[in-house]
Amino acid sequence: MGKNILIIGGGIVGLCSAYYLQKEGHQVTVIDKSDITSGASFVNAGYLTPSHIIPMASPGMILKGLKMMFNSASPFYMKPRLDLDFIKWSWYFHKSSTKQKVEKAIPAIKDINIISRELFIAIKASGDLGDFQLERKGLLMVYKTDASYEHEMEIAKKVSFLGLEVNELNKDQLQRLEPNINIDAKGAVHYECDGHTTPTEFMPKMLNYLKSVGVIIKTNETVLDMEVANERITKIISDKTTYQPDSIVIAAGSWSGELSKKLNIKLSLQAGKGYRINVERPTGIRMPAILMEANMAVTPMQGFTRFAGTMEFTGINDVIRKERVLAIANGAKRFYPELEIKQEEIDNAKTGMRPVSPDGMPYIGKSKNYDNLVFATGHAMMGWSLGPATGKLVAEIVDERKTCMNTDLFSPDRKFG
């Protein structure tokens, strides 16, 4: 018999959770504080990235953050602030950034990415959403320096060892893959295992499908409080109504930590803000790429080319820092010298906040505090890539079935340090 499920959060993770829960026969309601037309699920690079096997919390990242702390235009910016949650998160991040913990995380990251990539393919094949962009051109890690090349080749060796497709390209081979625009770079590592999509196409189509099969979507609605009894959440109170679901899924992205506090759960989470510039005219770019020295992503999407990047830890806010947007435009110019991003395109930049756990791994699983609460958040820069796999895992966890992969490393109750 189907359950009454309430999902808090209407981003890619929340909607994919609704997709798989509905298919299992549950009555699903999704509530979101926004109108579900903006945020991280709409401004990301659209990558499906089995190649991204290294979690953000890796050796050297804290030192890099400290070096960049006082440069608000830097790719990795951590604003100094007296915030106890941020201070604790930073310490946990430091404790998680060890070679041993990264090596332990790699197989799990690879597995969930592969599962998610195949689920994207299955969603398209089902016809549920109609047609949408889903391409498998791979991802280029484009480099200018020997240091970047050597760094990426270390990762490429690990990716190849795991059985994923990867190739090394020299300057001429790279240019042959991109014949319509000049690239100023020494070469690239080509992860053929990766794919890409257009988030602003996928999200509305998923929303329309969910509505068509009876999923209730509530927008511009904020959760105010939660009531509990006998280790269960019994009531969710919003600014518009009250819910009494059988199970609750917290998939509220960067707001998940604040929601958890209402349940006296300390979910360590920080908002990592990213930015994007859309160029809605021909650029000649046909291959998704990460421009390594600029720390930014480039994606040819449906009708436009997206330039995205930066990781900014300044708390939850929607402030657009112009210097960070300009850094993306300048980074694109360094690698594509013939490309001119116009001022109007820079002025139309958007931002979104990614939920980042201290070890860079998502929180997917039941809470030990309440037997009807499931977390699905904390995906950092892999939220888009891992949306379908997370949704499938959530459905399996709610139904208390064997999950399609081991989720121990994703436990919301895990300890850091």
Side-chain angles (χ1 to χ4, degrees):
M1 183 176 175
K3 297 178 181 179
N4 181 10
I5 313 290
L6 179 68
I7 299 173
I8 305 174
I12 179 71
V13 171
L15 296 190
C16 285
S17 297
Y19 180 83
Y20 290 104
L21 284 164
Q22 189 277 331
K23 286 189 176 292
E24 294 300 325
H26 301 296
Q27 176 57 56
V28 184
T29 299
V30 178
I31 63 174
D32 196 282
K33 63 188 300 184
S34 76
D35 60 1
I36 316 183
T37 61
S38 61
S41 293
F42 290 83
V43 306
N44 65 83
Y47 292 158
L48 316 182
T49 52
S51 68
H52 279 38
I53 58 171
I54 308 297
M56 203 179 93
S58 57
M61 283 301 292
I62 280 288
L63 181 60
K64 183 183 291 187
L66 290 172
K67 287 180 178 178
M68 295 180 174
M69 186 173 282
F70 299 103
N71 177 9
S72 63
S74 65
F76 185 73
Y77 176 54
M78 302 174 77
K79 181 182 179 181
R81 61 188 192 273
L82 291 174
D83 178 289
L84 186 58
D85 288 340
F86 179 66
I87 293 169
K88 285 183 177 178
W89 178 91
S90 300
W91 176 245
Y92 295 153
F93 187 100
H94 168 69
K95 296 290 284 184
S96 300
S97 300
T98 67
K99 182 179 180 181
Q100 292 79 8
K101 290 182 179 179
V102 168
E103 291 296 326
K104 187 177 179 181
I106 284 173
I109 296 175
K110 176 244 182 180
D111 288 348
I112 192 171
N113 265 290
I114 292 291
I115 291 168
S116 211
R117 185 189 67 186
E118 298 310 303
L119 289 173
F120 266 111
I121 294 169
I123 290 171
K124 183 163 184 172
S126 73
D128 289 342
L129 277 60
D131 192 29
F132 60 89
Q133 184 196 30
L134 179 60
E135 298 191 58
R136 180 84 176 272
K137 292 179 178 178
L139 176 67
L140 298 173
M141 298 295 292
V142 185
Y143 60 86
K144 282 177 170 287
T145 65
D146 291 341
S148 292
Y149 163 75
E150 290 165 6
H151 170 80
E152 195 57 40
M153 283 308 297
E154 286 298 314
I155 297 173
K157 289 173 186 175
K158 294 179 187 291
V159 169
S160 180
F161 178 77
L162 291 170
L164 300 174
E165 308 93 329
V166 56
N167 278 303
E168 184 182 348
L169 304 176
N170 62 30
K171 184 177 179 65
D172 290 338
Q173 292 169 322
L174 171 62
Q175 198 62 70
R176 282 198 291 272
L177 268 182
E178 283 287 28
N180 301 318
I181 188 167
N182 181 40
I183 302 178
D184 184 4
K186 283 191 171 185
V189 175
H190 185 198
Y191 292 105
E192 297 179 9
C193 50
D194 291 5
H196 71 282
T197 59
T198 299
T200 51
E201 177 186 46
F202 183 92
M203 287 291 289
K205 289 191 174 188
M206 178 60 87
L207 271 169
N208 288 337
Y209 169 76
L210 292 174
K211 291 175 184 176
S212 75
V213 294
V215 174
I216 299 168
I217 307 290
K218 298 287 194 74
T219 57
N220 301 304
E221 186 168 340
T222 302
V223 172
L224 300 178
D225 205 0
M226 306 185 199
E227 294 184 5
V228 300
N230 300 319
E231 297 184 339
R232 288 181 64 83
I233 300 171
T234 56
K235 191 176 292 185
I236 305 289
I237 303 162
S238 79
D239 58 353
K240 294 184 177 179
T241 189
T242 297
Y243 302 90
Q244 293 179 287
D246 299 312
S247 294
I248 298 93
V249 179
I250 292 183
S254 295
W255 288 267
S256 299
E258 293 302 312
L259 281 170
S260 301
K261 289 179 181 178
K262 298 179 185 297
L263 297 166
N264 292 317
I265 295 175
K266 295 177 180 178
L267 193 75
S268 189
L269 201 66
Q270 287 293 313
K273 188 188 295 182
Y275 294 81
R276 69 92 175 127
I277 300 172
N278 287 347
V279 175
E280 297 178 357
R281 54 191 167 86
T283 61
I285 297 170
R286 62 176 295 274
M287 292 291 296
I290 290 180
L291 313 180
M292 291 188 65
E293 287 80 7
N295 286 278
M296 59 175 286
V298 183
T299 316
M301 295 187 177
Q302 284 288 63
F304 59 93
T305 304
R306 174 163 290 178
F307 300 85
T310 83
M311 181 63 83
E312 172 189 324
F313 292 101
T314 56
I316 294 179
N317 62 74
D318 57 3
V319 175
I320 293 180
R321 292 176 176 266
K322 294 181 180 179
E323 69 271 24
R324 300 186 69 72
V325 180
L326 193 59
I328 293 173
N330 291 338
K333 181 72 172 175
R334 285 171 58 196
F335 282 80
Y336 306 106
E338 297 169 0
L339 176 70
E340 293 288 346
I341 296 181
K342 299 176 181 178
Q343 187 61 48
E344 180 183 4
E345 293 160 342
I346 293 172
D347 292 341
N348 288 331
K350 302 294 182 186
T351 187
M353 286 173 287
R354 318 172 188 97
V356 185
S357 70
D359 58 4
M361 302 280 276
Y363 294 115
I364 307 171
K366 275 194 174 184
S367 164
K368 67 180 180 182
N369 302 75
Y370 306 100
D371 63 13
N372 63 339
L373 172 63
V374 177
F375 282 103
T377 187
H379 295 75
M381 293 181 290
M382 294 185 287
W384 186 262
S385 185
L386 301 186
T390 302
K392 182 174 176 60
L393 286 168
V394 165
E396 291 167 346
I397 292 165
V398 167
D399 285 344
E400 298 182 340
R401 290 184 283 121
K402 181 177 174 59
T403 53
C404 57
M405 67 171 290
N406 187 300
T407 60
D408 289 349
L409 291 181
F410 307 148
S411 170
D413 300 317
R414 66 185 182 269
K415 303 298 181 183
F416 304 102

